[in-house]
């Protein structure tokens, strides 16, 4: 496993193209899901320097906070609540350009302005989400969706 990431600057596509093979390398030979989620958060934070990036996992009827990078966050989210709970209920990626305009958005921090949430689906069931927050409005687009969905698919949940 490589010990250091190579951080390429450039447009989003360039950054994902550089990062994804390195994440594949980080995950290679490691079967522990917590370890892999933790390293993915660190790699994404290092590459993109987003405000917050982390996982929530479905436990019973809630999402529960899992490995993340960034400020402390709310630990439990009900199905259908907030962007994360909505992505879980809909089993679909949600891109929110202005979190204040999203009904029921859960403000873990007032600094967060836009958000993308990708559901993690195993055997047709949502088992968790990857949540990313930015301090800028309108930060995430379909390139982030494609890159992050690819990265999620690398984890053997
Ligand atoms: N804003 C999220 C809650 C999680 S924090 O952003 C880390 C939501 O509305 O689901």
């Amino acid at each position: 496993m490589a010990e250091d990431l190579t951080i390429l600057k450039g447009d989003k596509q360039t950054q994902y193209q550089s990062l994804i093979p390195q994440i594949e390398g980080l995950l290679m030979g490691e079967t522990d899901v917590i370890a892999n989620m933790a390293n993915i958060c660190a790699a994404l934070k290092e590459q993109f320097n987003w405000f917050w990036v982390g996982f929530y996992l479905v436990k019973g009827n809630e999402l529960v906070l899992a490995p993340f990078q960034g400020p402390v966050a709310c630990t439990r989210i009900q199905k259908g609540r907030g962007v994360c709970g909505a992505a879980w209920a809909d089993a679909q990626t949600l891109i929110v350009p202005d979190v204040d305009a999203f009904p029921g958005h859960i403000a873990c921090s007032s600094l967060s302005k836009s958000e993308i949430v990708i559901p993690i689906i195993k055997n047709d069931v949502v088992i968790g989400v990857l949540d990313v927050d930015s301090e800028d409005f309108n930060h995430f687009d379909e390139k982030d969706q494609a890159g992050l969905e690819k990265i999620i698919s690398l984890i053997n949940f």
Side-chain angles (χ1 to χ4, degrees), residues 52 56 73-74 77 82-84 105-106 108 115 131 133:
W52 196 92
Y56 284 87
C74 36
I77 298 173
V83 187
C84 291
H105 169 254
I106 301 164
C108 291
E115 184 163 355
D131 178 19
D133 289 47

Side-chain angles (χ1 to χ4, degrees), residues 10 16 25 33 44 51 54 68 84 88 92 95 114 119 123 126 139 155:
Y16 281 109
V33 172
L44 286 169
F51 178 67
F68 71 96
C84 291
W88 174 16
Q92 274 187 356
I95 296 173
S114 61
N123 300 329
V126 177
H139 187 78
I155 308 184

Side-chain angles (χ1 to χ4, degrees), residues 133-153:
D133 289 47
S134 169
E135 290 171 287
D136 300 321
F137 288 109
N138 204 17
H139 187 78
F140 302 104
D141 58 24
E142 69 288 341
K143 292 195 180 75
D144 297 292
Q145 176 171 357
L148 293 171
E149 286 178 354
K150 171 68 186 169
I151 289 167
I152 295 278
S153 76

